[in-house]
Amino acid sequence: MKKYRLTDMEAKFADIIWVHEPIPSGKLVRLCEAEFNWKKSTTYTMLKRLESKGIFKNNNGVVISLIKKDDFYAEQSKLFVEETFEGSLPKFIAAFTRSRKMSDKEIDELQRLIDKHREKER
């Protein structure tokens, strides 16, 4: 999958599209005016930027995603672990739990994920 990088503002803009998609571009302009105090031209400039990154498409005035929100953030998480923890999920979890105690529910959920992954590997 392509490596996507978004600024904070691009991410906020993308979240609006993901929540409302498919969204008519006129409605997107109104939402961005209300949320960010943007002019119409700013909304379209930002949309073009994210279209050029291959994340969204304006199809005859209706904006749709080319990559779903869950897929986008899954890729961002993977990149973070690769770049920050040498691709090691155990190193990430160790760092995360050093400053935050996991609840029994979280531990059980993590164990279920591990067990599910193990089953797929067999």
Side-chain angles (χ1 to χ4, degrees), residues 54-112:
I55 300 171
F56 297 106
K57 181 177 181 181
N58 186 350
N59 190 9
N60 295 319
V62 177
V63 180
I64 59 169
S65 65
L66 299 175
I67 180 171
K68 298 299 178 196
K69 182 178 182 176
D70 288 346
D71 295 335
F72 174 81
Y73 284 111
E75 186 63 21
Q76 293 304 294
S77 299
K78 184 175 134 188
L79 286 172
F80 176 76
V81 170
E82 286 174 4
E83 294 171 356
T84 311
F85 298 96
E86 302 166 346
S88 171
L89 190 56
K91 284 183 182 180
F92 166 75
I93 293 171
F96 182 82
T97 57
R98 225 176 272 130
S99 62
R100 183 183 174 278
K101 182 173 172 25
M102 290 176 66
S103 69
D104 286 342
K105 183 180 177 184
E106 289 172 320
I107 292 168
D108 290 344
E109 187 175 339
L110 187 55
Q111 186 61 55
R112 277 192 299 278

